[in-house]
Amino acid sequence: MEPKSTVDDTALNGIMLYCGQLGLEFKGRTPITSKVGPFGEWEKLINCPTPMSYAVGFELRSQKYQGTDTDDSAAINMKLYCSDGNVFEGYPESRNYRNARYTGPQMCSAGKGICGIQTEVEAYQFLGDDTSLNNVRVKCCNANNFYKKY
């Protein structure tokens, strides 16, 4: 996330998922990401806290087009839905972006969880208005594959 600025704020630049079999410690999971914008740094980690829970959906909060003389940011926040019913929001402080709304829940079908990610990222505009992360798509897989085999 790029810190909010008054010049050219891109807000959310990328999303990283940590994947692995349930029952393994977090440190044993593999980070995966799709394309990531060039601004900001990795910050807040949101995870499903129950040992055997996993991500089943998300919502992306985006700011609509602000006009030619105003800075656009596109994606500014994300909510993660877990199989145990928990919902986590990345940056509650992002509410100060005007004209921003959540998409509504984008959920995997029953018995499936998020296992892949694809992002739409605007290329660096050099002298133009940068938005960076614009959209997210996830892949859902059979949740039976998430459990550790003993």
Side-chain angles (χ1 to χ4, degrees):
M1 176 103 166
E2 180 183 39
K4 189 166 175 59
S5 70
T6 56
V7 182
D8 189 9
D9 182 17
T10 60
L12 206 57
N13 274 250
I15 298 166
M16 183 181 296
L17 301 175
Y18 286 87
C19 299
Q21 291 180 323
L22 294 174
L24 293 178
E25 290 185 32
F26 181 78
K27 64 183 177 187
R29 297 186 181 182
T30 304
I32 63 167
T33 187
S34 185
K35 187 171 183 177
V36 174
F39 307 101
E41 297 176 14
W42 293 108
E43 288 188 26
K44 190 168 188 172
L45 175 66
I46 305 171
N47 70 318
C48 298
T50 308
M52 299 304 278
S53 68
Y54 49 90
V56 295
F58 74 97
E59 285 188 73
L60 190 65
R61 185 166 189 246
S62 297
Q63 185 182 48
K64 70 179 188 176
Y65 177 64
Q66 301 296 295
T68 56
D69 296 331
T70 306
D71 182 36
D72 293 301
S73 295
I76 58 174
N77 203 353
M78 186 173 176
K79 287 182 185 176
L80 181 70
Y81 288 78
C82 300
S83 61
D84 62 5
N86 280 305
V87 180
F88 297 95
E89 184 176 26
Y91 295 92
E93 64 275 11
S94 73
R95 289 181 175 84
N96 59 2
Y97 284 83
R98 66 187 187 111
N99 299 318
R101 291 185 171 50
Y102 273 107
T103 57
Q106 311 293 308
M107 305 297 288
C108 295
S109 58
K112 296 190 176 210
I114 295 175
C115 62
I117 186 168
Q118 182 180 31
T119 53
E120 179 184 359
V121 177
E122 179 188 59
Y124 175 55
Q125 300 296 298
F126 189 61
L127 295 176
D129 182 13
D130 293 297
T131 60
S132 204
L133 184 67
N134 282 264
N135 208 350
V136 176
R137 186 180 346 196
V138 298
K139 179 179 179 181
C140 297
C141 298
N142 186 335
N144 288 334
N145 296 333
F146 299 168
Y147 292 94
K148 186 176 179 181
K149 309 287 190 252
Y150 293 99

